[in-house]
Amino acid sequence: EVQLLESGGDLVQPGGSLRLSCAASGFTFSSYAMSWVRQAPGKGLEWVSVISGNGATSYYADSVKGRFTISRDNSKNTLYLQMNSLRAEDTALYYCARVTSILDYWGQGTLVTVSS
Amino acid sequence: EIVMTQSPATLSVSPGERATLSCRASQSVSSNLAWYQQKPGQAPRLLIYGASTRATGIPARFSGSGSGTEFTLTISSLQSEDFAVYYCQQYINWPPRTFGGGTKVEIK
């Protein structure tokens, strides 16, 4: 059974940093691209970033480019999102998802709140 | 960037009735279109991919159609568990993989 478990969400001040993790199980992690998607409170879904299975290629939404870094450790079956220079508008529930062109499995999300 | 527009924003439907949700892309995405369902407090769930292929375990009352720029999700006979928010997403290219704004299907 595919399972994705996010962690690392917290309350952080504007300008601060946070690293999210997503622990994967139930599939061959290194064979799949992985993505982060976020959802601000009461809003829709916003795609954030994607990384290839071997970690060599990644893409970002314009809203986070230069501030967020996606990475993965295939030996630990874990996906990461390093978030720097956080802003109030980054407040959201952050989901990780497995990519097979589409986002076929999603975690339950971890909440990031950016506020002073 | 491909912009995805969903309509209506809210759809009020009685149980047992048909629901028709629309999704429009600002440029052709061919059949690279997926639909997701999100219930309150839950993560999104994949419903449809390739514009018309149901994901594993999705009931036959859900159907998708369309190609190019115009797409439709139809729920043939709404059940209580189908009241949720539905999102379309294009996946013809990276980045970004844009989502539509969502359609909330509520009980009439």
Side-chain angles (χ1 to χ4, degrees), chain A residues 36-71:
Chain A
W36 289 98
V37 176
R38 69 184 181 183
Q39 186 170 36
K43 302 297 185 182
L45 302 172
E46 180 188 15
W47 173 79
V48 172
S49 184
V50 63
I51 187 169
S52 60
N54 63 7
T57 304
S58 58
Y59 298 105
Y60 299 90
D62 286 345
S63 57
V64 307
K65 199 174 297 182
R67 300 188 299 122
F68 289 13
T69 302
I70 192 171
S71 63

Coordinates of all heavy atoms in Angstrom, one line a residue, chain A residues 36-71:
Chain A
W36 N 5.3 18.6 -4.6 CA 4.6 19.3 -3.5 C 3.5 20.2 -4.1 O 3.7 20.8 -5.1 CB 5.6 20.2 -2.7 CG 6.6 19.4 -1.9 CD1 7.9 19.1 -2.3 CD2 6.5 18.9 -0.6 NE1 8.5 18.4 -1.2 CE2 7.7 18.3 -0.2 CE3 5.4 18.9 0.3 CZ2 7.8 17.6 1.0 CZ3 5.6 18.2 1.6 CH2 6.8 17.6 1.9
V37 N 2.4 20.1 -3.4 CA 1.2 20.9 -3.7 C 0.8 21.6 -2.4 O 0.8 20.9 -1.4 CB 0.1 20.1 -4.3 CG1 -1.1 20.9 -4.6 CG2 0.6 19.4 -5.6
R38 N 0.4 22.8 -2.5 CA -0.1 23.4 -1.3 C -1.5 24.0 -1.4 O -2.0 24.2 -2.5 CB 0.8 24.6 -0.8 CG 0.9 25.8 -1.8 CD 1.9 26.8 -1.3 NE 2.0 28.0 -2.1 CZ 2.8 29.0 -1.9 NH1 3.7 28.9 -0.9 NH2 2.8 30.0 -2.7
Q39 N -2.1 24.2 -0.3 CA -3.5 24.7 -0.3 C -3.7 25.7 0.9 O -3.6 25.3 2.1 CB -4.5 23.6 -0.1 CG -6.0 24.0 -0.2 CD -6.9 22.7 -0.3 OE1 -6.6 21.7 0.4 NE2 -7.9 22.8 -1.1
A40 N -3.8 27.0 0.5 CA -4.0 28.0 1.6 C -5.4 27.8 2.2 O -6.3 27.2 1.6 CB -3.9 29.4 0.9
P41 N -5.6 28.3 3.4 CA -6.9 28.0 4.1 C -8.0 28.5 3.3 O -8.1 29.7 2.9 CB -6.7 28.9 5.4 CG -5.2 28.9 5.6 CD -4.6 29.0 4.3
G42 N -9.0 27.6 3.1 CA -10.2 27.9 2.3 C -10.0 28.2 0.8 O -10.9 28.6 0.1
K43 N -8.8 27.9 0.3 CA -8.5 28.2 -1.1 C -8.3 26.9 -1.9 O -8.4 25.8 -1.3 CB -7.3 29.0 -1.2 CG -7.4 30.4 -0.5 CD -8.5 31.2 -1.1 CE -8.5 32.6 -0.4 NZ -9.6 33.5 -0.9
G44 N -8.0 27.0 -3.2 CA -7.8 25.9 -4.0 C -6.4 25.3 -3.9 O -5.5 25.7 -3.1
L45 N -6.1 24.4 -4.8 CA -4.8 23.7 -4.9 C -3.8 24.5 -5.7 O -4.1 25.0 -6.8 CB -4.9 22.3 -5.5 CG -5.9 21.4 -4.7 CD1 -6.1 20.1 -5.5 CD2 -5.4 21.1 -3.3
E46 N -2.6 24.6 -5.3 CA -1.5 25.3 -6.0 C -0.3 24.3 -6.1 O 0.3 24.0 -5.1 CB -1.1 26.6 -5.3 CG 0.0 27.3 -6.1 CD 0.6 28.5 -5.3 OE1 0.3 28.7 -4.1 OE2 1.3 29.3 -6.0
W47 N 0.1 24.0 -7.3 CA 1.3 23.2 -7.5 C 2.5 24.0 -7.1 O 2.6 25.2 -7.5 CB 1.4 22.7 -8.9 CG 2.7 22.0 -9.2 CD1 3.0 20.7 -8.9 CD2 3.8 22.6 -9.9 NE1 4.3 20.5 -9.4 CE2 4.8 21.6 -9.9 CE3 4.1 23.9 -10.4 CZ2 6.1 21.9 -10.5 CZ3 5.3 24.1 -10.9 CH2 6.3 23.1 -11.0
V48 N 3.4 23.4 -6.4 CA 4.6 24.1 -5.9 C 5.9 23.7 -6.6 O 6.7 24.5 -7.0 CB 4.8 23.9 -4.3 CG1 6.1 24.5 -3.8 CG2 3.6 24.5 -3.6
S49 N 6.2 22.4 -6.6 CA 7.5 21.9 -7.1 C 7.4 20.5 -7.5 O 6.5 19.7 -7.0 CB 8.5 22.2 -6.0 OG 9.8 21.8 -6.5
V50 N 8.3 20.0 -8.3 CA 8.4 18.6 -8.7 C 9.9 18.3 -8.8 O 10.7 19.1 -9.1 CB 7.7 18.3 -10.0 CG1 8.3 19.1 -11.2 CG2 7.6 16.8 -10.3
I51 N 10.3 17.0 -8.5 CA 11.6 16.5 -8.6 C 11.6 15.2 -9.3 O 10.7 14.3 -9.0 CB 12.3 16.5 -7.3 CG1 13.8 16.2 -7.4 CG2 11.7 15.5 -6.3 CD1 14.6 16.4 -6.2
S52 N 12.5 14.9 -10.2 CA 12.6 13.6 -10.8 C 13.0 12.5 -9.9 O 13.5 12.8 -8.8 CB 13.6 13.7 -12.0 OG 14.9 14.0 -11.5
G53 N 12.9 11.3 -10.4 CA 13.2 10.1 -9.5 C 14.6 10.1 -9.0 O 14.9 9.7 -7.9
N54 N 15.5 10.5 -9.8 CA 17.0 10.5 -9.4 C 17.4 11.8 -8.8 O 18.6 11.9 -8.5 CB 17.8 10.1 -10.6 CG 17.8 11.1 -11.8 OD1 17.2 12.2 -11.6 ND2 18.4 10.8 -12.9
G55 N 16.5 12.8 -8.7 CA 16.8 14.0 -8.1 C 17.6 15.0 -9.0 O 17.9 16.1 -8.6
A56 N 17.8 14.6 -10.3 CA 18.6 15.5 -11.1 C 17.9 16.7 -11.7 O 18.5 17.7 -12.0 CB 19.2 14.7 -12.3
T57 N 16.6 16.6 -11.8 CA 15.8 17.7 -12.4 C 14.7 18.1 -11.4 O 14.0 17.3 -10.8 CB 15.1 17.2 -13.7 OG1 16.2 16.7 -14.6 CG2 14.4 18.3 -14.4
S58 N 14.5 19.4 -11.4 CA 13.4 19.9 -10.5 C 12.8 21.2 -11.2 O 13.5 21.9 -11.9 CB 13.9 20.2 -9.1 OG 15.0 21.1 -9.1
Y59 N 11.6 21.5 -10.8 CA 10.9 22.7 -11.3 C 10.1 23.3 -10.2 O 9.8 22.6 -9.2 CB 9.9 22.3 -12.4 CG 10.5 21.7 -13.7 CD1 10.4 20.4 -14.0 CD2 11.2 22.5 -14.6 CE1 11.0 19.8 -15.1 CE2 11.8 22.0 -15.7 CZ 11.6 20.7 -16.0 OH 12.2 20.1 -17.1
Y60 N 9.9 24.6 -10.3 CA 9.2 25.3 -9.2 C 8.2 26.3 -9.8 O 8.3 26.8 -10.9 CB 10.2 26.2 -8.5 CG 11.3 25.4 -7.8 CD1 12.5 25.1 -8.4 CD2 11.1 24.9 -6.5 CE1 13.5 24.3 -7.8 CE2 12.1 24.1 -5.9 CZ 13.3 23.8 -6.5 OH 14.3 23.1 -5.9
A61 N 7.1 26.5 -9.0 CA 6.2 27.6 -9.4 C 6.9 28.9 -9.2 O 7.8 29.1 -8.4 CB 5.0 27.5 -8.4
D62 N 6.5 29.9 -10.0 CA 7.1 31.2 -9.9 C 7.0 31.8 -8.5 O 7.9 32.5 -8.1 CB 6.4 32.1 -11.0 CG 6.9 31.8 -12.4 OD1 7.8 31.1 -12.6 OD2 6.2 32.3 -13.3
S63 N 5.9 31.5 -7.8 CA 5.7 32.1 -6.5 C 6.7 31.6 -5.5 O 6.8 32.3 -4.4 CB 4.2 31.7 -6.1 OG 4.1 30.3 -6.0
V64 N 7.4 30.5 -5.7 CA 8.4 30.0 -4.7 C 9.8 30.0 -5.3 O 10.7 29.7 -4.5 CB 7.9 28.7 -4.2 CG1 6.5 28.7 -3.6 CG2 8.1 27.6 -5.2
K65 N 10.0 30.2 -6.6 CA 11.3 30.1 -7.2 C 12.3 31.0 -6.5 O 12.0 32.2 -6.2 CB 11.2 30.4 -8.7 CG 12.3 29.9 -9.5 CD 12.0 30.2 -11.0 CE 10.8 29.5 -11.5 NZ 10.5 29.7 -12.9
G66 N 13.4 30.4 -6.2 CA 14.5 31.2 -5.5 C 14.4 31.2 -4.0 O 15.3 31.6 -3.3
R67 N 13.3 30.7 -3.5 CA 13.1 30.7 -2.0 C 13.0 29.2 -1.5 O 13.4 28.9 -0.4 CB 11.9 31.4 -1.6 CG 11.9 32.9 -2.0 CD 10.7 33.7 -1.4 NE 9.4 33.2 -1.9 CZ 8.4 32.7 -1.1 NH1 8.6 32.6 0.2 NH2 7.3 32.3 -1.6
F68 N 12.4 28.4 -2.3 CA 12.1 27.0 -1.9 C 13.1 26.1 -2.7 O 13.4 26.3 -3.9 CB 10.7 26.5 -2.2 CG 9.6 27.2 -1.3 CD1 9.9 28.2 -0.5 CD2 8.3 26.7 -1.3 CE1 9.0 28.8 0.3 CE2 7.4 27.2 -0.5 CZ 7.7 28.3 0.3
T69 N 13.5 25.0 -2.1 CA 14.3 24.0 -2.7 C 13.8 22.6 -2.4 O 13.6 22.2 -1.3 CB 15.8 24.0 -2.3 OG1 16.3 25.3 -2.5 CG2 16.6 23.0 -3.0
I70 N 13.5 21.9 -3.5 CA 13.0 20.5 -3.4 C 14.2 19.5 -3.5 O 15.1 19.8 -4.2 CB 11.9 20.2 -4.4 CG1 11.2 18.8 -4.1 CG2 12.5 20.2 -5.8 CD1 10.0 18.6 -5.0
S71 N 14.2 18.5 -2.7 CA 15.3 17.5 -2.8 C 14.7 16.2 -2.3 O 13.6 16.1 -1.8 CB 16.5 17.9 -1.9 OG 16.1 18.0 -0.5

